[in-house]
Amino acid sequence: MLTFASMRSAVTAPGFDGIARVMYWLMTRNVASRVISYTDPLTGARSLPGAIVASPSFATDGTGDTTQNYVFHWVRDAAIAAAEIAASGSRAGDPLVDLRMAQYAEFAATCQAATDDLATAVFTIDGRPRQGWSLQHDGPALQALMLLGAAERLDGPARDAARGVVERDLAFVVERAHDPATNLWEEVSGQSLFTRAVQLRALRAAPDNALGAAIPAGAPDVEAWLAARIPDHVDGNGRYLSVLDAQLRPDYDPNIDVVLACLHGAIPATDPHLLATVAELRRIWTDPASPFRYPINDIDAAEDLGPLVGRYPGDVYDGDNDPTDTTRDVVGHPWPVCSAALAELHYRVAAAIANDAAPPADDLSRPFFAQVGASGVATSEAVAALCRAGDRILRAIVSHSDHLSLSEQFDKESGFEKSVRELTWSYAAFLSAVRARRRVRPGGGG
């Protein structure tokens, strides 16, 4: 039986594999099947198998925790969660995982058939486009990557469905890569580094794919063009800018979506511009002199936990207000998604150093390594320091969770969970970080 005492014990002496197993089952409650089904709170429609609900929260669900309705299938969020489901089973085949992958592929095909524009970012849980939502270009690339990676789990009609979905997704990337679109956080329209990075990774993964999906004409040229655009996002300080050619809110950079562009896209973990950006992200939420510092990080630091991080310093969304109201004081809070992404970045850098046997030593990267005590030390000590840094962040997420249930955000003052509950992406981000940790220390996760 999971008790508060046992959970705190796991946090103190990290047992991340065991924690991840619990979070996996909490996440998969949001995956519709023939056994688990959801009802659309607006229309009464029943979910189709394979729909991945972003969160079971909606404004009138009786909890009073949020004004938002997340009972929808976001293409981006669903692909990220589905990747964790695919990674959860044995490579020899896990019948339940394979079934979920088949249902995911077939639901993706249903959604594609219901729209003429694959920039449609959100679908109802019965496979219809959500009306009045922004157009986004990252979902098709992430969906294609997920299905290409899960090819060995698919056969028969599900494999045929996945092949068709991937071919349409890749064609969309080639046709629309040059176009601006709404960014990852669904707030501004422009040229997004995250979108470009995941599109580039999808095109690089496409040749000789195991699904037998056809590669669209012009793919190599678009791939080369996207690769050449990544440096355009570097600012005068050597850090990445998240969105170009956009009307940005104040203090929109540094933005954690740059880290997500590494985890889900084609930005290397040891990219000096990325590490310079991460060092600044960490500073703004921990430095006592920063106006954006989260008070909860001061409390956690005394317990050797954290830090928790948010989306960007000028965030005004807390899950309960109108995010278009820019007259409000800054009220942004840390997110499990963002914090787990930061932890995973540390593990990925550790793995890269362990493989190359030498940490980067350039001026842009130096502040990142100095923050975690990984500069000027032996390679093995640098790897250990980076792993400890990631562990502190994951322990903070667990410590502030509601008995391992994860919401969208943590309150920056109290650390209590807030906004929509049981956010699928929060679980997926934690699971992905734990998998990255295992790659540093084979055979161990906790």
Side-chain angles (χ1 to χ4, degrees):
M1 177 179 178
L2 182 68
T3 65
F4 180 76
S6 65
M7 184 182 73
R8 288 296 298 182
S9 175
V11 174
T12 303
F16 293 131
D17 277 344
I19 291 170
R21 282 192 291 272
V22 175
M23 288 194 179
Y24 174 81
W25 290 110
L26 291 172
M27 181 185 77
T28 53
R29 293 184 305 175
N30 293 350
V31 180
S33 66
R34 292 182 176 86
V35 176
I36 299 175
S37 65
Y38 284 86
T39 301
D40 189 317
L42 298 179
T43 68
R46 301 293 288 180
S47 59
L48 294 177
I52 299 181
V53 178
S55 162
S57 294
F58 54 97
T60 58
D61 65 359
T63 65
D65 292 333
T66 183
T67 60
Q68 312 299 315
N69 178 5
Y70 278 29
V71 188
F72 289 96
H73 175 100
W74 264 263
V75 177
R76 171 185 53 251
D77 301 33
I80 291 171
E84 294 309 311
I85 296 172
S88 69
S90 68
R91 300 192 68 82
D94 181 312
L96 181 56
V97 172
D98 293 352
L99 176 61
R100 284 181 169 138
M101 288 300 94
Q103 292 175 340
Y104 169 83
E106 289 163 357
F107 184 77
T110 296
C111 292
Q112 280 193 344
T115 182
D116 294 327
D117 190 350
L118 297 194
T120 301
V122 188
F123 290 82
T124 62
I125 55 178
D126 60 337
R128 294 173 292 108
R130 182 176 186 177
Q131 299 302 311
W133 208 254
S134 58
L135 298 179
Q136 300 161 36
H137 291 179
D138 52 16
L142 288 165
Q143 187 170 255
L145 278 166
M146 191 277 123
L147 290 170
L148 289 172
E152 64 184 21
R153 298 196 173 279
L154 300 167
D155 56 23
R159 189 178 184 87
D160 294 340
R163 184 184 307 110
V165 168
V166 168
E167 289 179 348
R168 286 197 67 192
D169 283 339
L170 293 176
F172 172 87
V173 170
V174 170
E175 293 166 6
R176 304 284 286 277
H178 298 77
D179 299 343
T182 304
N183 74 328
L184 168 67
W185 304 127
E186 303 185 321
E187 295 173 331
V188 297
S189 180
Q191 298 289 0
S192 163
L193 177 66
F194 175 81
T195 300
R196 286 172 160 175
V198 297
Q199 289 175 336
L200 177 57
R201 183 182 168 202
L203 291 180
R204 286 176 174 174
D208 302 319
N209 65 84
L211 279 178
I215 310 302
D221 292 339
V222 173
E223 179 185 331
W225 182 85
L226 285 168
R229 299 284 69 76
I230 301 298
D232 295 348
H233 289 261
V234 178
D235 70 6
N237 295 311
R239 304 180 195 123
Y240 277 124
L241 297 170
S242 59
V243 187
L244 304 179
D245 305 328
Q247 290 294 113
L248 297 181
R249 300 177 178 189
D251 298 303
Y252 209 71
D253 284 293
N255 198 303
I256 201 74
D257 68 359
V258 171
V259 176
L260 295 168
C262 164
L263 305 188
H264 302 295
I267 308 296
T270 53
D271 181 329
H273 303 296
L274 171 65
L275 298 182
T277 310
V278 172
E280 182 62 8
L281 282 164
R282 188 183 182 106
R283 186 197 69 79
I284 62 174
W285 284 307
T286 60
D287 187 344
S290 171
F292 304 105
R293 184 180 92 260
Y294 292 145
I296 190 59
N297 283 333
D298 296 339
I299 299 170
D300 281 353
E303 300 289 336
D304 197 29
L305 302 175
L308 299 173
V309 299
R311 301 190 299 176
Y312 53 91
D315 200 353
V316 297
Y317 173 65
D318 71 355
D320 300 312
N321 63 38
D322 178 358
T324 65
D325 182 2
T326 57
T327 65
R328 297 173 60 99
D329 293 334
V330 172
V331 294
H333 298 274
W335 288 46
V337 164
C338 303
S339 302
L342 181 62
E344 180 171 350
L345 189 278
H346 285 84
Y347 298 137
R348 289 200 181 200
V349 175
I353 291 175
N355 290 334
D356 292 340
D362 57 274
D363 289 341
L364 286 172
S365 304
R366 192 168 290 112
F368 168 82
F369 291 105
Q371 286 174 335
V372 298
S375 58
V377 298
T379 296
S380 60
E381 293 173 344
V383 169
L386 288 160
C387 288
R388 286 194 298 270
D391 288 354
R392 286 193 293 269
I393 297 170
L394 292 191
R395 291 204 313 268
I397 293 172
V398 174
S399 180
H400 292 293
S401 71
D402 182 5
H403 292 80
L404 303 188
S405 293
L406 293 176
S407 65
E408 182 182 61
Q409 301 174 45
F410 297 120
D411 187 277
K412 66 181 178 182
E413 301 279 349
S414 67
F416 290 141
E417 295 193 315
K418 64 186 284 62
S419 191
V420 299
R421 57 189 171 84
E422 307 292 348
L423 188 74
T424 304
W425 193 359
S426 293
Y427 294 118
F430 189 94
L431 296 173
S432 183
V434 172
R435 285 197 299 115
R437 189 178 189 273
R438 294 192 200 107
R439 290 193 288 271
V440 183
R441 296 174 177 174

